[in-house]
Every structure is written in C-alpha cells, then in structure tokens.
Amino acid sequence: MKEYIVSARKYRPGSFDAVVGQEALTTTLKNAVKSGKLAHAYLFCGPRGVGKTTCARIFAKAINCQNPTAEGEACNECESCKAFNEGRSYNIFELDAASNNSVENIKALMEQTRIPPQVGKYKVFIIDEVHMLSTAAFNAFLKTLEEPPSHVVFILATTEKHKILPTIISRCQIYDFERMTVPNIIKQLKMVAENEGITYEEEALNVIAEKADGGMRDALSVFDQAASFCQGNITYQKVIEDLNVLDADNYFNIIDLCLENKTAEVMALLNNVINKGFDGSHLISGLAMHVRNVLMAKDEQTLPLLQTSARQAERYKEQAKKCPAKFLYKALKIMNDCDINYRQSGNKRLLVELTLIEISQVTQPDDEGAASGRGPKRLKSLFKRLRSVKPTEVKQVAEAEARDEKGGVAGGRAVASPGSGVTASGSPVTTVSADETKPVVGASPVKRLKLGAIGKTFANLRQKGEERHQFEDAGVEEKDSGERHDFTEEQLMTQWLAMCNRMPQQFTGIAARMKNMTPVITEFPNVEVVVDNQILLDDILKIKGRILSTLALALKNSAITLNLRLAKPDEVKRILTNGERFNELKNDNKAFEKLAELLELELN
C-alpha cells in the first residue's frame, strides 16, 4: 500500500509561484534574489498556517541556487537545489525555538556560523517560533545578529511579533504575512480535490474555508478530515455534520422570522438548535456574523467584504433587500451585548432567548395595549403629557385629589381642567364623574392622568415640586415685589438652615459648610456672612443670586442685601468636637453643669 501523506505536506509549495495569497511578499523576495541585494536578517510574521516557514525554505533554496531563473526562482537542477530537495543540505539549518530556547542552544548555533558553506553562497539559519527564546538567549543572539559573517543569513519566523525584543526587530527586515482569504482557500482546495480525484460541492468547500479561519494548513487538514468522512464525495450536509457546524439556513430562517415578529417560531428554532448539541453562544456569534454579512450585502461597495461563495453571496443580497438597515444595526448591538454578558450570566439559555425575543420585536410597531411589553415607551409618553400640563392645572387636580382623600367628594373623583365651575380659590374648573368616559354635560372631555400606577400622586408631585422650585428657581433675579417685612436674626438663621437643607444634590458639600456659618444683620435689612477660606467663598459667590432670592422670598423682604466676605485671621474659629462643645456648655452654664452631675451625664 502506498504511503499516505497529508495534503498540508503533500501540497506544500516548492516555489514562490506556488505560494497562495502572499503575492506582494513573494515578489519582493524574488526581486531580492534576482538583484542579489540580500539583508543579513529577515523576520517573517503572521498568523499560523499562512506560509512563513514555507517561504523561508523557498527563499533559502533560491539564494543558494547556482543557476537561478530570470524570475528569481530556484532551478531545482544544481547540486545545492538537489541537496535541499533530498534533505541533505548542510547549508540550511532549521531550529525550533519552542523546544530549543536556552542560551546553550543559541551558542551552539552561533558556533555553526563561523564555518563557511561548502556548496552554495550562504549558510541560512531558519529559527521558527523565535518568540519562544528566553531573554538570556535573545541577548546571546543579539551581537551575532547585528554583525554576522558575510556568508550567513538569518530568517526568523514568529506568530507573535510583540513578544520579540525591540533590539532584535530593529536589526531585521520585517515581512508581515496576510491571512488567507476565503476565495483563495477555496481555489486551492479545488486544485487539491481535482488532483486527488475527489468530487465536491462549492458550499462545502466554503464551510471548510470559513472553519480554517485564514490558515491554509488548517484548511487542508480539515479538507482531509472531510474527504475521509465523505468517502471521496464532499457534500455540504456531510461537511456540516462532520465538523459540527450550524447550518447557515438556520440564520436565514431566524432573520426572516424576526422580520415578521414571529417570536414563538424563533423560540422553537432555538430549541431545535440547542437539542442538536450547539451552545447558545455559538448560535449568537454565528447569527451576529450572518447579520454583519447581510449588512455588507446591502451596498455594492461592501460586497467584497463578504468572503463567501458566489451562491451564498446571492442569498445574502436577497435577504438584505428585505432587511431595513435600522433593524440590522439594532440586532447587531443586541447580540453584542449578549456576547459580553454571556460568561457572567447564571441562566445562559434565558439570556439567549431574551436576546432573540428583543431582535424579533425590533420591527414591531409600538403597541398601546396594557400587556404590550413596551413599558418604557409608554412611560416616556406619559411624562411628555405631564410636561404639557400647565402648573395651574396640576395644582387644581392636586387640590381635588386632596379633597377626595378627606371625603370631600363622594362617589367619584374631581378632576380639574379649564372649563365651567369654580374651585375654592376661584379658579374655573370642570368636574368629571368617576366614569372617565362620561364627562359632565357642557364640559370638554379630559383624559385623566393616573400617577398612582407608578407610585406617584399629584399631591406628592406638587409637594416635591414646590420644595425643589423654591431653591432651583432662585437663580433667576427676582423683581422687587414691594414686600418689606421685618425679621430677626433668629428668623434669618432659621431660614438660612432651611435653605441649606433644601439645596439640590450637586450643592451638598457647600450646604454642609454653610450650616456652620452664622448670618448677621449689620444694618437692617443688610445681611453679612463671614466665610472661613477663599475657595469656599468663590463657590458661594457663584450661587449668591440664588441664596439672596431664596432668603428674600422666605423672609418676605425684597430689599434684603447679602454681603459675603473672607474672615480675618482673628475671626477664624476652630470647629469644636462634640466633647469640647459639651464641656464648654457646662462651663458657661452652671445650672447645666449641676444637672449633668446629678444625672451623671456623659457624652458617648
């Protein structure tokens, strides 16, 4: 029986022209061979299975060829080429840095560089997976790499360039290998299949190419596996069964169902996929890639980004015509959020189900029903209606609800709105019976605003609104109302503390410091406040207008003025602790001291 050789080795390129998908690099290397302008060190970088080591071997054979062709290829007829092809060349050395990464290995390699080649022009040292060398080995290699003998060429290959010392990289010519595209992989697989006498379906080769993830070696390995399973006839169904790949028809079906808002059918399809042994994250990631491809298929300029077979590209284009761009963008965002949260989720299947439910409702029109499941939008519309209601109407409705709560209205609620009738304050209102759909005769129909369902009533809405309004609106300069009520320092201090307690959250720090200040009436109605430091003074000056307006409103005196000044050194007082205040109180008040002794009071 003839010895079997895997396709990755059997069809390994032996010349630059046979290398797939690296035309720019191979052209540069051929030109270097033709011109004889060779560097002493090369660094080949790129993902696995794209031809780094293969190109290093072809290049090493070409620069030692005694009769290179006009295109820069090796002749395969001279002694050097024959020795290389037969594996007996002493001019080309390969070192696997993954298993030979010590200083001793590198020193042994450096000893070899001193011996000139017996046949050919150069001794070529190919170091594969060079990033695996230890730091000491890199340092031992550094000097020789910088100034090697004229007959030595180093070719370093790595999949992780970022792990190599910058001093090594700076001494090499760098060649970055590209990932294999799906069309290039399919083309190479067709060639291999024809040479091996294997029949195939192009969709099956497309699945293999996508599974390879840009690596030709991986693609050939998967191809051998599929050929063995299919017994020489590679079909799409057998390939997805052998490789445990989710059928692309599932993705097309999910998107079609989501566009029609058929959530139940999507859930049934998901259940079938999971029962076949596929993980939920596998479905979400595959569906996200599918939606991305559909999005690319919407524009002719992005069609080349699909990286699929021609038949599959046509299916994407057909579905793209049915999918609005807004739906695709929203679906991608939802699936990206699911992918981020999948690992941390305690119930992964539920997370996937919720994700698909959201996608299936993206194109669903807004529903006004109570059980529509679109609560946030309904709440937004409710608050928009609230903002459109005039403050006087809110006040009237609140008063009506307050009377209802006290039993002032029996058999129904009173709702205030512009119309007939008069409130206690003299404002015209229209009363509506308990049945919202049957207004009193002569009144315009008014739709009731119910806040009880969200934990708010008009009464507490008005109450909290007035608390905020008193300080927040104080930033606007008040007009002189003509009020000139007298007030004492005690009343001033009371309103000062009340104002500090009502200040918004963003002024919490300033309010806490202002509570320790004592406003003083210098010459009625002029008020002076002494501030301990300049930073605090600057902060208070920014809201001085608000403070002044709030005090004028609270004390009912529009003529009040506020003077803020920095404390003098002798005016700055140290803030006492609770214990010091207690002792000071006992020293200043003998009656309190006696009471503390009788009751044995102590500060805890």
Side-chain angles (χ1 to χ4, degrees):
M1 183 177 178
K2 187 178 179 180
E3 182 183 0
Y4 172 73
I5 303 176
V6 296
S7 298
R9 291 179 55 199
K10 185 176 181 179
Y11 293 96
R12 192 167 195 165
S15 63
F16 286 121
D17 291 337
V19 177
V20 179
Q22 310 293 345
E23 288 77 11
L25 297 183
T26 55
T27 300
T28 305
L29 294 176
K30 286 194 292 184
N31 290 339
V33 174
K34 287 191 293 185
S35 63
K37 297 179 180 179
L38 302 177
H40 65 275
Y42 296 85
L43 179 60
F44 291 174
C45 313
R48 68 183 190 278
V50 294
K52 300 184 297 296
T53 307
T54 298
C55 285
R57 291 176 179 177
I58 296 172
F59 186 54
K61 181 172 74 170
I63 62 179
N64 270 322
C65 179
Q66 297 172 351
N67 302 303
T69 64
E71 291 78 19
E73 296 277 9
C75 67
N76 288 319
E77 296 178 357
C78 65
E79 176 59 27
S80 177
C81 291
K82 290 180 180 179
F84 177 83
N85 293 336
E86 296 171 5
R88 55 182 177 84
S89 175
Y90 289 100
N91 293 341
I92 300 174
F93 296 87
E94 284 194 45
L95 177 69
D96 178 23
S99 55
N100 301 281
N101 55 6
S102 65
V103 177
E104 289 74 16
N105 298 126
I106 292 299
K107 287 183 177 180
L109 187 67
M110 296 304 100
E111 291 294 329
Q112 295 290 332
T113 61
R114 299 179 182 180
I115 304 172
Q118 303 301 313
V119 179
K121 304 175 183 178
Y122 300 97
K123 267 197 168 183
V124 183
F125 296 88
I126 301 173
I127 305 179
D128 206 2
E129 303 297 334
V130 70
H131 66 273
M132 298 292 288
L133 288 177
S134 63
T135 304
F138 268 129
N139 292 331
F141 182 43
L142 190 59
K143 188 61 179 178
T144 304
L145 182 66
E146 183 178 10
E147 297 177 359
S150 58
H151 59 268
V152 171
V153 174
F154 290 106
I155 304 178
L156 315 179
T158 180
T159 56
E160 302 182 46
K161 184 172 74 171
H162 61 278
K163 291 186 178 180
I164 301 176
L165 294 179
T167 49
I168 298 291
I169 294 177
S170 65
R171 289 165 169 81
C172 302
Q173 280 191 11
I174 302 173
Y175 290 79
D176 289 307
F177 284 68
E178 300 177 358
R179 301 172 69 87
M180 298 291 178
T181 62
V182 171
N184 281 339
I185 294 177
I186 293 176
K187 182 179 178 181
Q188 184 71 2
L189 293 179
K190 286 181 179 179
M191 184 271 293
V192 174
E194 291 170 0
N195 290 344
E196 296 294 326
I198 299 173
T199 58
Y200 59 86
E201 293 180 1
E202 187 167 347
E203 288 79 7
L205 298 184
N206 185 78
V207 172
I208 295 174
E210 291 179 352
K211 185 78 171 178
D213 194 25
M216 181 60 72
R217 182 173 63 236
D218 292 355
L220 291 171
S221 299
V222 175
F223 176 83
D224 287 345
Q225 177 183 339
S228 177
F229 179 78
C230 300
Q231 292 295 308
N233 181 23
I234 300 178
T235 62
Y236 176 76
Q237 289 297 332
K238 288 184 178 180
V239 166
I240 62 174
E241 180 183 351
D242 178 41
L243 302 181
N244 197 31
V245 176
L246 192 58
D247 191 352
D249 289 341
N250 290 297
Y251 302 136
F252 284 101
N253 292 338
I254 289 176
I255 296 302
D256 288 338
L257 292 173
C258 288
L259 288 173
E260 299 173 7
N261 310 126
K262 295 182 178 179
T263 305
E265 287 82 348
V266 173
M267 292 296 100
L269 197 153
L270 170 64
N271 185 63
N272 292 334
V273 169
I274 293 178
N275 288 341
K276 291 179 181 178
F278 293 100
D279 187 61
S281 64
H282 189 121
L283 174 67
I284 292 297
S285 60
L287 185 60
M289 181 56 66
H290 174 84
V291 173
R292 176 259 183 197
N293 288 342
V294 174
L295 185 62
M296 296 299 105
K298 288 187 71 69
D299 196 322
E300 292 293 333
Q301 294 181 349
T302 54
L303 270 178
L305 301 178
L306 285 181
Q307 297 286 309
T308 58
S309 63
R311 183 174 178 274
Q312 201 79 340
E314 287 299 322
R315 295 188 66 186
Y316 283 125
K317 290 172 67 175
E318 291 175 6
Q319 192 168 67
K321 295 176 183 177
K322 300 185 292 183
C323 296
K326 185 177 181 181
F327 165 77
L328 298 175
Y329 294 140
K330 184 69 174 177
L332 281 174
K333 184 180 185 306
I334 292 172
M335 286 184 286
N336 184 60
D337 293 340
C338 175
D339 187 48
I340 293 173
N341 299 325
Y342 190 82
R343 289 186 179 180
Q344 300 176 352
S345 175
N347 192 337
K348 296 183 177 2
R349 174 164 181 167
L350 179 60
L351 177 63
V352 175
E353 290 175 343
L354 289 174
T355 300
L356 293 179
I357 290 172
E358 283 190 72
I359 297 173
S360 66
Q361 292 184 346
V362 169
T363 58
Q364 182 175 336
D366 292 347
D367 195 350
E368 292 298 328
S372 61
R374 309 183 77 84
K377 291 188 177 180
R378 289 176 54 79
L379 287 179
K380 289 181 181 178
S381 64
L382 173 61
F383 284 108
K384 285 181 181 177
R385 288 159 55 193
L386 278 179
R387 286 196 293 270
S388 66
V389 178
K390 296 180 180 179
T392 56
E393 297 176 10
V394 174
K395 183 176 180 180
Q396 293 163 3
V397 173
E399 292 174 352
E401 286 199 354
R403 290 197 304 272
D404 190 16
E405 291 174 359
K406 295 178 180 179
V409 178
R413 290 180 178 270
V415 180
S417 64
S420 61
V422 180
T423 63
S425 60
S427 302
V429 298
T430 295
T431 58
V432 181
S433 63
D435 187 354
E436 298 174 5
T437 61
K438 297 179 180 179
V440 175
V441 177
S444 58
V446 179
K447 191 166 183 178
R448 296 180 54 132
L449 300 178
K450 294 182 178 181
L451 292 181
I454 59 174
K456 297 288 182 183
T457 65
F458 281 114
N460 59 33
L461 179 65
R462 180 193 62 175
Q463 181 182 0
K464 293 186 178 180
E466 288 180 350
E467 289 177 359
R468 290 192 303 269
H469 178 78
Q470 188 171 3
F471 184 80
E472 292 177 356
D473 289 350
V476 182
E477 292 293 335
E478 294 284 345
K479 294 181 180 179
D480 190 351
S481 62
E483 291 183 311
R484 296 293 188 273
H485 285 236
D486 294 338
F487 58 88
T488 63
E489 286 193 351
E490 183 179 356
Q491 293 173 329
L492 173 62
M493 190 64 192
T494 301
Q495 296 301 330
W496 178 270
L497 295 176
M499 176 190 65
C500 293
N501 291 330
R502 291 196 305 270
M503 289 176 71
Q505 186 176 2
Q506 62 265 34
F507 300 116
T508 303
I510 299 177
R513 295 179 177 88
M514 288 174 60
K515 289 180 182 179
N516 295 324
M517 301 177 188
T518 304
V520 178
I521 302 175
T522 54
E523 183 179 349
F524 189 88
N526 301 328
V527 177
E528 182 182 70
V529 179
V530 179
V531 186
D532 290 341
N533 59 77
Q534 186 64 46
I535 297 176
L536 181 58
L537 177 62
D538 294 339
D539 290 339
I540 298 178
L541 284 174
K542 294 178 183 178
I543 57 173
K544 178 182 177 181
R546 293 188 175 196
I547 297 173
L548 182 60
S549 299
T550 303
L551 292 177
L553 183 63
L555 298 172
K556 297 181 180 181
N557 192 318
S558 301
I560 188 172
T561 62
L562 181 64
N563 178 34
L564 300 170
R565 70 175 178 85
L566 187 64
K568 298 177 182 178
D570 56 341
E571 292 177 326
V572 177
K573 297 182 180 179
R574 186 174 66 86
I575 299 176
L576 302 178
T577 64
N578 292 334
E580 291 173 337
R581 289 179 181 177
F582 182 73
N583 294 330
E584 185 178 19
L585 185 60
K586 289 198 299 183
N587 294 334
D588 296 342
N589 193 324
K590 298 299 181 181
F592 178 78
E593 182 182 11
K594 185 175 182 180
L595 178 64
E597 291 177 356
L598 292 174
L599 299 178
E600 298 182 354
L601 296 179
E602 291 183 1
L603 185 66
N604 187 7

